[in-house]
PDB file of all heavy atoms in Angstrom:
ATOM      1  N   ILE A 199     -56.241 108.018 114.331  1.00  0.00           N
ATOM      2  CA  ILE A 199     -55.189 108.410 115.304  1.00  0.00           C
ATOM      3  C   ILE A 199     -53.817 108.012 114.773  1.00  0.00           C
ATOM      4  O   ILE A 199     -52.842 108.774 114.868  1.00  0.00           O
ATOM      5  CB  ILE A 199     -55.454 107.770 116.681  1.00  0.00           C
ATOM      6  CG1 ILE A 199     -56.762 108.317 117.275  1.00  0.00           C
ATOM      7  CG2 ILE A 199     -54.276 108.052 117.619  1.00  0.00           C
ATOM      8  CD1 ILE A 199     -57.151 107.648 118.577  1.00  0.00           C
ATOM      9  N   THR A 200     -53.731 106.803 114.233  1.00  0.00           N
ATOM     10  CA  THR A 200     -52.441 106.338 113.688  1.00  0.00           C
ATOM     11  C   THR A 200     -51.980 107.229 112.543  1.00  0.00           C
ATOM     12  O   THR A 200     -50.798 107.587 112.426  1.00  0.00           O
ATOM     13  CB  THR A 200     -52.574 104.891 113.193  1.00  0.00           C
ATOM     14  OG1 THR A 200     -53.062 104.075 114.269  1.00  0.00           O
ATOM     15  CG2 THR A 200     -51.216 104.369 112.711  1.00  0.00           C
ATOM     16  N   LEU A 201     -52.925 107.628 111.665  1.00  0.00           N
ATOM     17  CA  LEU A 201     -52.587 108.514 110.553  1.00  0.00           C
ATOM     18  C   LEU A 201     -52.107 109.863 111.032  1.00  0.00           C
ATOM     19  O   LEU A 201     -51.162 110.447 110.498  1.00  0.00           O
ATOM     20  CB  LEU A 201     -53.815 108.668 109.642  1.00  0.00           C
ATOM     21  CG  LEU A 201     -53.623 109.548 108.388  1.00  0.00           C
ATOM     22  CD1 LEU A 201     -52.506 108.986 107.512  1.00  0.00           C
ATOM     23  CD2 LEU A 201     -54.930 109.657 107.634  1.00  0.00           C
ATOM     24  N   LEU A 202     -52.717 110.381 112.105  1.00  0.00           N
ATOM     25  CA  LEU A 202     -52.327 111.676 112.666  1.00  0.00           C
ATOM     26  C   LEU A 202     -50.922 111.613 113.245  1.00  0.00           C
ATOM     27  O   LEU A 202     -50.092 112.507 113.024  1.00  0.00           O
ATOM     28  CB  LEU A 202     -53.338 112.102 113.734  1.00  0.00           C
ATOM     29  CG  LEU A 202     -53.058 113.439 114.432  1.00  0.00           C
ATOM     30  CD1 LEU A 202     -53.056 114.582 113.405  1.00  0.00           C
ATOM     31  CD2 LEU A 202     -54.114 113.701 115.510  1.00  0.00           C
ATOM     32  N   VAL A 203     -50.641 110.552 113.990  1.00  0.00           N
ATOM     33  CA  VAL A 203     -49.300 110.409 114.597  1.00  0.00           C
ATOM     34  C   VAL A 203     -48.230 110.285 113.515  1.00  0.00           C
ATOM     35  O   VAL A 203     -47.144 110.876 113.591  1.00  0.00           O
ATOM     36  CB  VAL A 203     -49.288 109.186 115.539  1.00  0.00           C
ATOM     37  CG1 VAL A 203     -47.852 108.917 116.013  1.00  0.00           C
ATOM     38  CG2 VAL A 203     -50.195 109.422 116.729  1.00  0.00           C
ATOM     39  N   THR A 204     -48.533 109.523 112.471  1.00  0.00           N
ATOM     40  CA  THR A 204     -47.557 109.352 111.381  1.00  0.00           C
ATOM     41  C   THR A 204     -47.275 110.664 110.668  1.00  0.00           C
ATOM     42  O   THR A 204     -46.133 110.986 110.323  1.00  0.00           O
ATOM     43  CB  THR A 204     -48.104 108.330 110.375  1.00  0.00           C
ATOM     44  OG1 THR A 204     -48.411 107.109 111.051  1.00  0.00           O
ATOM     45  CG2 THR A 204     -47.066 108.061 109.281  1.00  0.00           C
ATOM     46  N   SER A 205     -48.298 111.489 110.476  1.00  0.00           N
ATOM     47  CA  SER A 205     -48.109 112.784 109.821  1.00  0.00           C
ATOM     48  C   SER A 205     -47.262 113.713 110.661  1.00  0.00           C
ATOM     49  O   SER A 205     -46.388 114.435 110.161  1.00  0.00           O
ATOM     50  CB  SER A 205     -49.474 113.421 109.529  1.00  0.00           C
ATOM     51  OG  SER A 205     -50.260 112.563 108.720  1.00  0.00           O
ATOM     52  N   VAL A 206     -47.521 113.726 111.982  1.00  0.00           N
ATOM     53  CA  VAL A 206     -46.729 114.603 112.875  1.00  0.00           C
ATOM     54  C   VAL A 206     -45.271 114.198 112.874  1.00  0.00           C
ATOM     55  O   VAL A 206     -44.358 115.036 112.805  1.00  0.00           O
ATOM     56  CB  VAL A 206     -47.330 114.555 114.303  1.00  0.00           C
ATOM     57  CG1 VAL A 206     -46.400 115.287 115.269  1.00  0.00           C
ATOM     58  CG2 VAL A 206     -48.716 115.184 114.312  1.00  0.00           C
ATOM     59  N   VAL A 207     -44.999 112.900 112.948  1.00  0.00           N
ATOM     60  CA  VAL A 207     -43.609 112.431 112.957  1.00  0.00           C
ATOM     61  C   VAL A 207     -42.912 112.737 111.631  1.00  0.00           C
ATOM     62  O   VAL A 207     -41.734 113.095 111.572  1.00  0.00           O
ATOM     63  CB  VAL A 207     -43.575 110.915 113.257  1.00  0.00           C
ATOM     64  CG1 VAL A 207     -42.145 110.373 113.084  1.00  0.00           C
ATOM     65  CG2 VAL A 207     -44.081 110.641 114.656  1.00  0.00           C
ATOM     66  N   ALA A 208     -43.633 112.629 110.534  1.00  0.00           N
ATOM     67  CA  ALA A 208     -43.021 112.853 109.231  1.00  0.00           C
ATOM     68  C   ALA A 208     -42.623 114.304 109.022  1.00  0.00           C
ATOM     69  O   ALA A 208     -41.583 114.601 108.404  1.00  0.00           O
ATOM     70  CB  ALA A 208     -43.997 112.423 108.135  1.00  0.00           C
ATOM     71  N   PHE A 209     -43.473 115.226 109.511  1.00  0.00           N
ATOM     72  CA  PHE A 209     -43.181 116.651 109.312  1.00  0.00           C
ATOM     73  C   PHE A 209     -42.431 117.288 110.477  1.00  0.00           C
ATOM     74  O   PHE A 209     -42.162 118.481 110.457  1.00  0.00           O
ATOM     75  CB  PHE A 209     -44.488 117.424 109.089  1.00  0.00           C
ATOM     76  CG  PHE A 209     -45.114 117.122 107.748  1.00  0.00           C
ATOM     77  CD1 PHE A 209     -46.129 116.193 107.631  1.00  0.00           C
ATOM     78  CD2 PHE A 209     -44.649 117.764 106.608  1.00  0.00           C
ATOM     79  CE1 PHE A 209     -46.701 115.912 106.399  1.00  0.00           C
ATOM     80  CE2 PHE A 209     -45.218 117.497 105.379  1.00  0.00           C
ATOM     81  CZ  PHE A 209     -46.242 116.562 105.260  1.00  0.00           C
ATOM     82  N   ALA A 210     -42.075 116.518 111.476  1.00  0.00           N
ATOM     83  CA  ALA A 210     -41.332 117.067 112.626  1.00  0.00           C
ATOM     84  C   ALA A 210     -39.891 117.345 112.213  1.00  0.00           C
ATOM     85  O   ALA A 210     -39.315 116.622 111.388  1.00  0.00           O
ATOM     86  CB  ALA A 210     -41.356 116.077 113.798  1.00  0.00           C
TER      87      ALA A 210
END
Side-chain angles (χ1 to χ4, degrees):
I199 295 175
T200 305
L201 182 59
L202 179 61
V203 172
T204 304
S205 302
V206 172
V207 172
F209 289 97

